[in-house]
Amino acid sequence: MNGKFDFMSMARDRIARQCVCCGSENLARLPAILMPFVAYRAFGWLPQKIDETWGLRTIESGHAYPLCNSLRCGDCGLLFLDIRFSDRELASLYDDYRKESYNNMREHFEPGYLERARQLSIPISYRPKVEEFLKPYIKRPLSILDWGGDTGINTPFNDQADIFDIYDISGAAPTNARARCVNKSEAHADTYSLLICSHVLEHTPYPSDILNDIKPAMGKESILYIEVPLEPVMRDDERNALERKRYWHEHVNYYSKESLIKLIKNVGMTPLAVGEIPYSDASEKPDVYQVICKLNDEAELESDSQRI
């Protein structure tokens, strides 16, 4: 697919028929399952053991799990879940995200999750590398908006910002006393020099919506830092990723570098730098994609008009 795709023309189907990064309909698919925790949180579905008491003459006995499809875009390489959650289903899925009730329910479905949640609450160790990646593009005074930043504990330069705002649906209290939580209207009322969208786009059914929501808070000199997982199934053998991805959890989009760049360009932004980075010095392979981008000229005008 050549040229810029207009996401306004994309059909918002329950089951995706187009790539959510480039709009292509050139999609390969293979059956997969939706993991029980996600299926229950979003839809109230539980796995079932089918036996002779069900009285099903043409269905074999066994365990039944929610079926879905893994989709792979033949144009940009995005690997994604065919089910596109509604706003209400997303709200159910992420209600009290990583708080006590959420963690206890997930521990019930996935024993061992509580320890993982504890590890996830520890500040990331690679933040200095993120700041080094961003440093050539940082201008002072530094105003930061972290879109989906939770408590702001992992926000780059969070201890150096003159203004530090966080927009997050969780409503979690910031760990930095200088930070403030803002709603969308408040975020759109200002222009920030550095905007962060880190580990958000892998969760959302339509990532273009997130980036388009961020644009009104950007100006001509603003830069946006995007970070998404470089999923092992994509990193280690991208050519066979579709065949290997047979289950889906909370990450519903697995990005290739090309799909991420196409998404950014299709929403009217220009990539300035692209990188890959491991989570820690102990990692032998990169774990995340990094992109620094800015608004195109026409997107700048659009953002200005949205702010007026």
Side-chain angles (χ1 to χ4, degrees), residues 202-220:
E202 64 270 24
H203 295 265
T204 184
Y206 294 99
S208 58
D209 290 351
I210 300 295
L211 297 182
N212 281 327
D213 260 353
I214 291 173
K215 284 163 59 177
M218 298 178 69
K220 184 177 181 180

Side-chain angles (χ1 to χ4, degrees), residues 2 6 26 54 75 119 128 146 153 165-166 191 201 208 213 217 222 245 256 307:
N2 297 318
D6 180 7
N26 179 20
W54 285 55
D75 289 355
Q119 293 291 330
D146 195 335
I153 194 171
D165 290 348
I166 300 170
T191 298
L201 299 181
S208 58
D213 260 353
S222 302
K245 186 58 182 172
S256 64
R307 195 175 293 110

Side-chain angles (χ1 to χ4, degrees), residues 126-130 133 225 227 230 275-280 285-290:
Y126 64 92
R127 198 183 95 186
K129 294 181 180 179
V130 174
F133 184 65
Y225 174 72
E227 185 174 303
L230 173 44
E276 300 174 6
I277 193 171
Y279 283 135
S280 69
K285 298 179 180 180
D287 298 299
V288 298
Y289 281 129
Q290 304 169 283

Side-chain angles (χ1 to χ4, degrees), residues 136-237:
Y137 302 89
I138 296 299
K139 295 182 179 180
R140 307 287 177 172
L142 179 59
S143 56
I144 296 177
L145 173 64
D146 195 335
W147 196 279
D150 194 35
T151 65
I153 194 171
N154 292 319
T155 305
F157 303 108
N158 63 14
D159 54 349
Q160 302 175 38
D162 299 285
I163 296 173
F164 180 19
D165 290 348
I166 300 170
Y167 170 74
D168 196 284
I169 60 173
S170 72
T175 56
N176 188 316
R178 298 171 59 200
R180 67 166 186 158
C181 292
V182 296
N183 60 37
K184 192 179 295 186
S185 296
E186 290 170 330
H188 287 172
D190 290 316
T191 298
Y192 299 84
S193 58
L194 171 63
L195 298 95
I196 310 292
C197 183
S198 183
H199 295 270
V200 174
L201 299 181
E202 64 270 24
H203 295 265
T204 184
Y206 294 99
S208 58
D209 290 351
I210 300 295
L211 297 182
N212 281 327
D213 260 353
I214 291 173
K215 284 163 59 177
M218 298 178 69
K220 184 177 181 180
E221 301 298 324
S222 302
I223 63 167
L224 170 63
Y225 174 72
I226 297 171
E227 185 174 303
V228 298
L230 173 44
E231 306 282 0
V233 72
M234 299 289 283
R235 180 193 63 202
D236 298 338
D237 188 6

Side-chain angles (χ1 to χ4, degrees), residues 6-276:
D6 180 7
F7 285 110
M8 293 295 291
S9 67
M10 177 177 286
R12 301 304 179 92
D13 295 318
R14 155 66 74 194
I15 304 299
R17 300 181 184 275
Q18 291 177 276
C19 174
V20 297
C21 284
C22 74
S24 173
E25 297 181 8
N26 179 20
L27 304 178
R29 69 187 64 231
L30 279 178
I33 64 167
L34 192 62
M35 291 298 283
F37 172 77
V38 175
Y40 182 73
R41 291 279 291 195
F43 303 118
W45 297 345
L46 287 169
Q48 296 294 319
K49 183 177 181 180
I50 298 174
D51 57 26
E52 63 278 0
T53 64
W54 285 55
L56 302 177
R57 292 180 297 172
T58 60
I59 301 295
E60 294 184 7
S61 295
H63 288 87
Y65 292 90
L67 282 174
C68 56
N69 284 297
S70 296
L71 303 180
R72 186 76 190 275
C73 178
D75 289 355
C76 74
L78 179 72
L79 178 65
F80 61 114
L81 170 66
D82 65 340
I83 298 173
R84 300 285 95 180
F85 297 119
S86 70
D87 290 345
R88 178 176 293 183
E89 290 155 1
L90 281 177
S92 296
L93 181 55
Y94 290 108
D95 184 39
D96 282 337
Y97 189 54
R98 291 181 183 164
K99 295 179 182 177
E100 185 176 4
S101 62
Y102 175 97
N103 290 347
N104 288 340
M105 181 179 289
R106 192 154 171 181
E107 176 72 16
H108 170 76
F109 283 94
E110 302 167 14
Y113 178 77
L114 287 177
E115 173 57 24
R116 185 181 169 208
R118 188 189 69 81
Q119 293 291 330
L120 291 170
S121 68
I122 300 172
I124 60 173
S125 62
Y126 64 92
R127 198 183 95 186
K129 294 181 180 179
V130 174
E131 294 176 345
E132 191 66 27
F133 184 65
L134 282 165
K135 193 175 294 184
Y137 302 89
I138 296 299
K139 295 182 179 180
R140 307 287 177 172
L142 179 59
S143 56
I144 296 177
L145 173 64
D146 195 335
W147 196 279
D150 194 35
T151 65
I153 194 171
N154 292 319
T155 305
F157 303 108
N158 63 14
D159 54 349
Q160 302 175 38
D162 299 285
I163 296 173
F164 180 19
D165 290 348
I166 300 170
Y167 170 74
D168 196 284
I169 60 173
S170 72
T175 56
N176 188 316
R178 298 171 59 200
R180 67 166 186 158
C181 292
V182 296
N183 60 37
K184 192 179 295 186
S185 296
E186 290 170 330
H188 287 172
D190 290 316
T191 298
Y192 299 84
S193 58
L194 171 63
L195 298 95
I196 310 292
C197 183
S198 183
H199 295 270
V200 174
L201 299 181
E202 64 270 24
H203 295 265
T204 184
Y206 294 99
S208 58
D209 290 351
I210 300 295
L211 297 182
N212 281 327
D213 260 353
I214 291 173
K215 284 163 59 177
M218 298 178 69
K220 184 177 181 180
E221 301 298 324
S222 302
I223 63 167
L224 170 63
Y225 174 72
I226 297 171
E227 185 174 303
V228 298
L230 173 44
E231 306 282 0
V233 72
M234 299 289 283
R235 180 193 63 202
D236 298 338
D237 188 6
E238 187 174 328
R239 290 178 301 175
N240 296 314
L242 178 64
E243 290 76 13
R244 297 169 60 210
K245 186 58 182 172
R246 306 311 290 264
Y247 68 92
W248 289 92
H249 210 289
E250 60 181 310
H251 292 183
V252 297
N253 306 311
Y254 279 26
Y255 294 92
S256 64
K257 187 179 295 184
E258 183 180 1
S259 64
L260 188 57
I261 297 305
K262 281 196 173 185
L263 170 66
I264 290 166
K265 289 182 176 180
N266 280 330
V267 297
M269 298 186 189
T270 300
L272 302 175
V274 182
E276 300 174 6

